[in-house]
Amino acid sequence: HLGLNRLASYLSAKGHTVQVIDTTGRPASLKGPEELGDWLIEHADHYRMIGFHTNSWNINHILRTLKRAHKKLKNKKLLFGGPLPNSEPLRMTQLLIDQGIEHMGIVQGLGEKITDEILIQDKLIGIEGLWAFQKGQLQRGKKVAVTSAEFEKFPYLSLEHNTFYQHYWKPVMERGDLGEHAMNIIFSSQGFDVNRGCPFQCTYCSVPQYEEKLILFSPKRVVDELEHLAREAGFFMFTFTNSNIMFYSREWIEEFCHEIIGRGMESYLNWTAYHHPSVIARMPLSVYHLMRKAGSSAIVFGVQSFEEKIDKIFMRPPNTRELTEQINAKCKAAKMQLTVDYITGVPGENLDIIEE
């Protein structure tokens, strides 16, 4: 729940009372929407506003949840963010209107600033940038961005709103007995983000829907937060998750690694990052060695496909095969592991392409 953690941390720092409603980790069943709907019926009165992260694989569950708790939520202000509102805000709004939702906000772009404003003003219609439907009136919105200076000042990830820490890591560490969670805990890494937006337009990815510009924390700001989380929570493994372009420039990588090494953090820190092949392939071998020294034992990037017609659909580099060979050779020389993502089931793909 990295995005929700950032959002909750930001709103909490602004003085709002926030709770991340965690619906994961429950026994497998087909009754999730019914259970969440019943939970909302019982608890909805505790909240001024309730937000939903919506995407293509949970929207049916959310609609079933809303239907289940319709009477309780009828007069409640509801916010909807995530990939669907960013890609299809009008259709998303109409879908919810058809479900009988009467007070809703559809958040495009980055949710921190606009959610803070909504909570301060306690209204939906009239909030600039927000798609809203209230009292039968529809307001069209737009994506809300943050500047690099604003992003740099975002608060650290709050452990209070970190569901992984609260539900798994902290209880096990306080108990001092890894027990049945041993392997999961030891090899679990805290997700971590250092940027918003992406200059690439890969067609399978939702990140450019939020923000096309690349906005980065400074290397020092990132290492400050890593050091804070290691000290306060005992986290020592991190996965930089977002956008595949954390390391977009050689200068940023080198400053980040030297910051870690200068503080002696490489002695206990292990981290991996997702890279774009056209970015990481152009980095000289010295950068791979530097990352290895600073605690990164693996390079992770998206191959996605070697087939030219598939690359065109994906809007990926047409020379991914050559880039992969370059990255592989540098990883071997720096004694780093190589992990790749590959997307299958694409229109125009066949078993021969997959086999090759």
Side-chain angles (χ1 to χ4, degrees):
H1 298 292
L2 183 57
L4 294 181
N5 193 339
R6 283 281 180 214
L7 178 60
S9 301
Y10 181 93
L11 295 175
S12 181
K14 290 289 185 177
H16 303 293
T17 301
V18 189
Q19 179 186 359
V20 176
I21 302 172
D22 183 12
T23 61
T24 63
R26 301 175 183 273
S29 74
L30 300 176
K31 298 181 180 180
E34 287 75 15
E35 292 175 356
L36 180 56
D38 291 342
W39 189 91
L40 287 172
I41 290 172
E42 183 178 351
H43 296 90
D45 288 340
H46 299 162
Y47 302 95
R48 291 170 55 202
M49 190 173 299
I50 300 173
F52 295 87
H53 171 83
T54 53
N55 52 50
S56 57
W57 59 87
N58 77 358
I59 185 61
N60 285 327
H61 279 222
I62 288 175
L63 293 178
R64 286 170 58 192
T65 298
L66 295 174
K67 183 178 181 180
R68 182 87 169 191
H70 178 75
K71 290 183 179 180
K72 197 68 173 182
L73 299 177
K74 183 177 178 63
N75 297 314
K76 183 71 62 176
K77 295 184 182 70
L78 305 177
L79 291 185
F80 299 86
L84 280 187
N86 275 273
S87 59
E88 293 285 357
L90 181 58
R91 292 178 65 183
M92 181 74 184
T93 303
Q94 190 60 55
L95 177 65
L96 293 169
I97 292 174
D98 293 343
Q99 299 296 314
I101 305 301
E102 299 181 15
H103 306 277
M104 77 176 95
I106 303 294
V107 179
Q108 286 187 290
L110 310 177
E112 285 86 354
K113 287 173 62 177
I114 199 167
T115 307
D116 176 40
E117 186 178 353
I118 293 167
L119 290 168
I120 290 173
Q121 299 193 25
D122 200 23
K123 65 178 183 177
L124 297 175
I125 298 293
I127 299 295
E128 184 179 359
L130 182 70
W131 285 76
F133 182 75
Q134 195 171 25
K135 298 181 180 179
Q137 181 182 354
L138 174 63
Q139 170 182 291
R140 292 174 179 258
K142 61 183 179 181
K143 287 186 174 69
V144 176
V146 297
T147 65
S148 296
E150 289 173 327
F151 189 52
E152 185 77 4
K153 295 179 181 178
F154 271 28
Y156 294 163
L157 289 171
S158 166
L159 295 178
E160 177 186 355
H161 302 111
N162 187 316
T163 53
F164 168 66
Y165 175 75
Q166 294 293 345
H167 296 175
Y168 300 98
W169 186 273
K170 183 181 178 182
V172 168
M173 293 301 148
E174 288 181 343
R175 192 168 61 242
D177 177 18
L178 292 175
E180 63 184 53
H181 296 293
M183 298 303 289
N184 289 334
I185 290 293
I186 290 174
F187 292 104
S188 290
S189 56
Q190 168 63 41
F192 199 83
D193 57 338
V194 303
N195 67 282
R196 298 286 179 92
C198 180
F200 298 106
Q201 295 293 323
C202 305
T203 54
Y204 53 82
C205 181
S206 65
V207 171
Q209 296 284 351
Y210 292 93
E211 174 62 64
E212 294 181 2
K213 296 182 299 182
L214 178 61
I215 305 171
L216 281 162
F217 285 139
S218 67
K220 181 181 182 304
R221 162 67 171 76
V222 174
V223 180
D224 284 345
E225 187 167 6
L226 292 177
E227 190 171 29
H228 166 79
L229 291 172
R231 182 176 62 250
E232 296 298 322
F235 291 149
F236 60 92
M237 297 181 70
F238 293 88
T239 300
F240 296 96
T241 57
N242 53 326
S243 309
N244 292 343
I245 44 133
M246 168 190 173
F247 297 137
Y248 194 61
S249 74
R250 178 177 177 178
E251 292 76 18
W252 200 102
I253 299 178
E254 292 179 336
E255 185 178 346
F256 171 75
C257 291
H258 287 307
E259 191 74 37
I260 290 177
I261 295 169
R263 304 186 195 191
M265 293 169 60
E266 79 282 3
S267 63
Y268 62 84
L269 205 65
N270 181 274
W271 54 273
T272 57
Y274 287 79
H275 303 268
H276 192 284
S278 64
V279 173
I280 194 64
R282 73 169 183 253
M283 296 297 168
L285 180 57
S286 61
V287 169
Y288 287 72
H289 282 294
L290 182 61
M291 287 192 290
R292 184 73 177 88
K293 182 178 179 181
S296 180
S297 57
I299 292 290
V300 185
F301 75 96
V303 165
Q304 315 312 6
S305 180
F306 289 131
E307 182 68 21
E308 184 176 354
K309 64 180 180 180
I310 305 299
D311 288 335
K312 287 182 179 179
I313 293 175
F314 284 160
M315 293 182 66
R316 296 286 286 183
N319 59 333
T320 302
R321 183 188 299 270
E322 291 77 15
L323 294 174
T324 301
E325 291 172 350
Q326 296 173 31
I327 298 168
N328 192 25
K330 292 175 181 177
C331 283
K332 288 181 178 179
K335 294 182 172 57
M336 301 179 77
Q337 296 179 346
L338 177 63
T339 301
V340 299
D341 290 339
Y342 181 85
I343 297 177
T344 188
V346 187
E349 191 179 50
N350 56 45
L351 292 178
D352 291 337
I353 290 175
I354 296 173
E355 184 69 22
E356 183 185 359

